[in-house]
Amino acid sequence: MSRRSGILEFAVLGLLRESPMHGYELRKRLNTSLGIFRAFSYGTLYPCLKTLVANGWLIEESGSGPDDTPAAPLAGRRAKIVYRLTAEGKEHFEDLLSQTGPDAYEDEHFAARFAFFGQTSRDVRMRVLEGRRSRLEERLEKMRISFARTRERLDDYTLELQRHGMESVEREVRWLNELIESERAGRDQRGSGPGEAAQQDTSGETGGLPRHRDSTRPDPSDDTAT
């Protein structure tokens, strides 16, 4: 399985865990909710769905949603196919959510993982965030070394492009620092026992995202930020 198809399967399972969907609705959610899938087609989605069905993680149901008009057999219309997560599919998705290996830190996979942080345990979120930060800090150091070595040989526009890349990575590192601090604060509050701090922690397992004074935080699905 390619990394790209693995990310798509993960995202499809995650969305279908929320509710069953038609293929069209699923594609729309992937496009609007997960920016890394802005430019993919039915030709990519349906083979993925067929694979998940073959693996026993999804089932196909001929029918309609509550707002759909049932297909009329005499009119030659085909009933819409609804994809529903099976018990095995839910278990498989939860297993994927618990994984914190190097793939979870890579650009596209991290964006997909972050989109489902609301369904992920706090400890796993912390490991993924810290792994992502470590990966970006390594990348940033390499970029700075390369910039220092080549800046005398590059024209102004190429230098600006490299500087922009470094600033994008620095911005995401700052954003990750805020998220990690917020997760730690939420964990500390939950473990503080009876008292004001514990009473004020209403975030539960999903933690509390930091409040931003501006709109400078990076989009995890934006390739320019990584």
Side-chain angles (χ1 to χ4, degrees), residues 1 5-6 8-10 12-13 46-60 83-93 96:
M1 179 192 304
S5 62
L8 179 57
E9 290 185 5
F10 172 83
V12 168
L13 292 172
Y46 281 105
C48 172
L49 290 170
K50 294 299 183 183
T51 298
L52 295 175
V53 170
N55 289 339
W57 297 330
L58 301 181
I59 57 173
E60 297 177 328
Y83 294 91
R84 184 184 300 275
L85 199 65
T86 64
E88 292 80 5
K90 181 179 179 181
E91 182 178 350
H92 178 62
F93 179 70
L96 294 176

Side-chain angles (χ1 to χ4, degrees), residues 34-202:
L34 301 176
I36 59 174
F37 299 110
R38 291 189 186 103
F40 86 107
S41 64
Y42 286 112
T44 303
L45 175 60
Y46 281 105
C48 172
L49 290 170
K50 294 299 183 183
T51 298
L52 295 175
V53 170
N55 289 339
W57 297 330
L58 301 181
I59 57 173
E60 297 177 328
E61 298 178 342
S62 297
S64 57
D67 299 326
D68 294 328
T69 302
L74 296 180
R77 294 172 54 195
R78 296 176 58 187
K80 290 182 178 180
I81 300 298
V82 176
Y83 294 91
R84 184 184 300 275
L85 199 65
T86 64
E88 292 80 5
K90 181 179 179 181
E91 182 178 350
H92 178 62
F93 179 70
E94 290 174 349
D95 179 63
L96 294 176
L97 278 180
S98 69
Q99 296 179 10
T100 59
D103 281 350
Y105 317 148
E106 298 299 335
D107 297 346
E108 290 185 340
H109 208 154
F110 173 74
R113 289 297 302 269
F114 190 84
F116 295 101
F117 262 21
Q119 303 180 41
T120 307
S121 69
R122 187 187 302 274
D123 289 343
V124 171
R125 289 198 306 266
M126 282 289 292
R127 289 196 292 271
V128 172
L129 290 172
E130 290 174 342
R132 175 65 174 175
R133 180 177 64 180
S134 177
R135 180 63 52 86
L136 289 184
E137 287 174 340
E138 293 174 3
R139 182 183 303 176
L140 185 59
E141 181 62 21
K142 292 178 181 178
M143 293 173 73
R144 286 169 174 165
I145 293 173
S146 176
F147 183 78
R149 288 176 177 173
T150 61
R151 63 183 305 167
E152 300 299 330
R153 302 193 302 268
L154 300 178
D155 61 72
D156 291 343
Y157 294 101
T158 305
L159 286 173
E160 280 302 312
L161 185 61
Q162 290 195 0
R163 187 176 292 111
H164 171 69
M166 287 192 296
E167 290 175 351
S168 296
V169 177
E170 290 170 347
R171 186 168 65 249
E172 184 170 350
V173 169
R174 291 194 298 269
W175 174 65
L176 290 167
N177 285 336
E178 292 182 6
L179 290 172
I180 291 169
E181 290 175 6
S182 178
E183 292 287 348
R184 286 175 176 165
R187 182 175 60 189
D188 292 343
Q189 287 180 349
R190 287 176 61 83
S192 61
E196 182 178 356
Q199 293 173 0
Q200 289 177 350
D201 178 23
T202 59

